[in-house]
Amino acid sequence: MSLNYLLVTLLSTAARSQWKLPAISVRPCNCSARVYVYDLEPPLTDPGYGEAHNPFHRRPDTPGPWDPNEQGEHMYALTSILEYRLRRSCCRTTDPEEADLFFAPIAPRPRERASLYFELCQSGNLSAKSVRLALRHAREPWRACRHFFSLPHHYHFEQCGGWFAHPKPPYELMMRVGYLHSITPSLERRVRAEALNDHTAKRSHLWKDLSKVSSNISSTYPNLISVPYPSVRWSSGQTRAGFSPPWEREQHGLDRPVISPTMLFVGSAAHGDVAVRTLVVKQCEAHPRCTVSPWRGGASLLDKQRAVFCLEPSGDSPDRKSVSDDVAMGCIPVFFSAISSGLAPWFWAAAGSAGGGYVLIEREPFLVGNVTLESELGRMPSARVAALGHAVTRVAHGFQYSIDDDPGDAVDVLLTGLHKMADAQCPHHTHQQP
């Protein structure tokens, strides 16, 4: 056992002591990457965050059954979740020479309004100069390319120029993690053509989606990777204690009917892609096996756990937290936008094939009536329904940000992908012994 590993264990013990957690035995560490976590000071971080902050508000050593009424994490808590996990991970290293990746937990506090992010950047507190001074291991290109930030929506940080948006050397080498990424030029051309032909509104909703994911943002926000939203709380301790996660439906006495499958839409037609949402509501309300419901917290999660297909027309943005809830509950997401279905590709990969684990109903054929919910879902062959359900179960673990080190969860999938990406893009460097 290395001295570095002992130091990390001692730090974790100190953190547990602060939270009055009992000591736990050290488990073997199977790391997809060794991660160095920066200790930042305000204004780069937020007061009350850092070593002591627990975004899960629950201890990982108190396993019990999944509770649908337990409050989940804030939908924008991505950075604080990653900071909490990586600071306590056995994969953390305090030696930059050992690190495969470097994490800078900048602005970890979830902010409800976009204006708060704009103000944060415009204040000058997150200037390129302040970031450069704090990230002391990013001054060489061969290490800068192993750094990553996590900020939920990249376009909220447009004013953070020089390091996050329109980055200058060496920041253009760093990786950015959020809920969206830029689409390919071929997909963009296809969506633009569809938007030009869309007469459902004065201005198609597709233009709004394109403004956030167009291929040209790859130069403004290079190395941008999309990840799922956080959903339910789960820990490896619950699995080891014999409790079943909610996506393992059979263990909860719930079958997934492959003949005459049920459909569910949690939402409304009042926002987002109004044209698609209005038609979804209309067809769903007229269908005997389809339900429309507003969001009702834990009750909606249980509804998703009982449904076969969960309908996910685009909202205010192509990404939806609801999709993570679908997967956590073992419900097959149904997209109406190729932009939405193309997000978080590293996390869908466990389905085993492109398009596995979800259904994509093409937007334009749906709007003109060439396809319907009944034709695409209600009459789907039972073997296909069963295969999709099994695929959702395979990807579910990788969509969840577990409370503690949990091989195969979303943090592990992310680190694996970032490590491979860094190895592929980083310039070769041979360490010179003094």
Side-chain angles (χ1 to χ4, degrees):
M1 185 178 292
S2 68
L3 176 62
N4 181 72
Y5 182 80
L6 288 172
L7 287 171
V8 173
T9 303
L10 289 172
L11 287 170
S12 299
T13 303
R16 288 195 296 273
S17 176
Q18 189 163 1
W19 279 84
K20 299 181 180 180
L21 302 182
I24 58 175
S25 60
V26 177
R27 292 182 287 112
C29 194
N30 183 17
C31 294
S32 53
R34 301 303 303 273
V35 185
Y36 180 96
V37 182
Y38 279 96
D39 294 314
L40 301 178
E41 299 290 338
L44 294 184
T45 188
D46 294 296
Y49 283 75
E51 192 72 49
H53 180 71
N54 183 349
F56 294 101
H57 304 291
R58 180 155 71 82
R59 303 181 334 197
D61 65 322
T62 54
W66 173 69
D67 182 1
N69 295 312
E70 184 178 28
Q71 182 180 1
E73 283 62 60
H74 193 290
M75 64 189 298
Y76 294 144
L78 177 64
T79 301
S80 61
I81 287 174
L82 291 177
E83 181 177 20
Y84 175 86
R85 277 287 308 278
L86 295 176
R87 285 192 181 281
R88 288 154 181 79
S89 174
C90 64
C91 297
R92 179 186 178 186
T93 178
T94 56
D95 182 356
E97 296 296 331
E98 288 185 356
D100 301 303
L101 299 169
F102 295 77
F103 177 53
I106 294 175
R109 179 172 65 87
R111 288 162 169 83
E112 291 281 358
R113 301 191 308 276
S115 60
L116 296 177
Y117 288 101
F118 284 119
E119 292 168 7
L120 191 64
C121 291
Q122 290 175 328
S123 68
N125 290 332
L126 300 188
S127 67
K129 180 179 179 180
S130 62
V131 173
R132 182 177 68 253
L133 291 174
L135 306 190
R136 59 190 179 279
H137 302 300
R139 292 161 191 170
E140 304 93 350
W142 56 273
R143 274 191 180 150
C145 58
R146 295 188 177 276
H147 282 62
F148 69 100
F149 315 107
S150 60
L151 298 166
H153 284 137
H154 58 273
Y155 49 86
H156 289 162
F157 276 75
E158 185 177 6
Q159 300 300 319
C160 282
W163 66 274
F164 193 82
H166 301 286
K168 300 175 181 178
Y171 302 106
E172 82 281 9
L173 300 173
M174 299 181 186
M175 297 172 285
R176 291 147 181 77
V177 177
Y179 298 143
L180 292 167
H181 68 249
S182 59
I183 59 177
T184 63
S186 59
L187 178 56
E188 181 173 0
R189 287 192 295 269
R190 172 183 152 195
V191 175
R192 284 185 179 277
E194 185 177 340
L196 290 170
N197 292 327
D198 182 7
H199 302 295
T200 58
K202 288 184 178 180
R203 181 172 174 82
S204 173
H205 178 79
L206 292 174
W207 294 115
K208 184 177 182 180
D209 282 353
L210 278 172
S211 69
K212 298 172 181 176
V213 298
S214 64
S215 57
N216 61 18
I217 70 169
S218 60
S219 60
T220 305
Y221 310 96
N223 301 324
L224 182 61
I225 301 106
S226 61
V227 301
Y229 279 85
S231 181
V232 300
R233 294 177 183 172
W234 193 254
S235 71
S236 65
Q238 288 172 281
T239 303
R240 293 195 304 274
F243 296 104
S244 298
W247 56 85
E248 293 182 355
R249 292 186 172 202
E250 294 78 5
Q251 302 302 318
H252 294 270
L254 297 170
D255 294 325
R256 182 183 286 109
V258 296
I259 300 175
S260 302
T262 55
M263 296 169 262
L264 173 69
F265 173 44
V266 177
S268 74
H271 70 106
D273 194 345
V274 173
V276 172
R277 284 173 169 247
T278 299
L279 189 53
V280 164
V281 170
K282 179 180 178 180
Q283 290 190 15
C284 195
E285 289 179 339
H287 197 287
R289 299 189 309 277
C290 191
T291 303
V292 178
S293 172
W295 171 250
R296 298 179 295 126
S300 289
L301 293 178
L302 293 175
D303 287 343
K304 288 174 180 276
Q305 197 180 38
R306 289 186 286 263
V308 175
F309 294 111
C310 285
L311 310 177
E312 297 294 350
S314 180
D316 296 325
S317 183
D319 53 310
R320 293 199 73 199
K321 179 185 181 297
S322 180
V323 175
S324 291
D325 294 337
D326 298 343
V327 174
M329 296 298 108
C331 190
I332 303 166
V334 179
F335 297 108
F336 298 80
S337 164
I339 296 175
S340 298
S341 65
L343 297 174
W346 292 353
F347 302 82
W348 284 112
S353 63
Y358 62 82
V359 175
L360 172 60
I361 295 178
E362 295 289 350
R363 182 179 185 274
E364 187 173 7
F366 180 70
L367 287 175
V368 300
N370 291 339
V371 299
T372 65
L373 297 180
E374 172 61 17
S375 69
E376 300 304 292
L377 306 176
R379 301 175 196 165
M380 182 178 290
S382 58
R384 173 64 175 155
V385 177
L388 287 167
H390 292 314
V392 170
T393 301
R394 287 197 299 272
V395 304
H397 183 202
F399 262 67
Q400 307 310 313
Y401 299 84
S402 298
I403 297 176
D404 54 358
D405 278 340
D406 191 2
D409 84 324
V411 177
D412 188 46
V413 173
L414 174 62
L415 294 182
T416 299
L418 291 174
H419 192 185
K420 291 179 180 178
M421 186 174 176
D423 283 350
Q425 74 169 1
C426 286
H428 178 70
H429 171 76
T430 302
H431 179 66
Q432 300 293 327
Q433 294 292 338

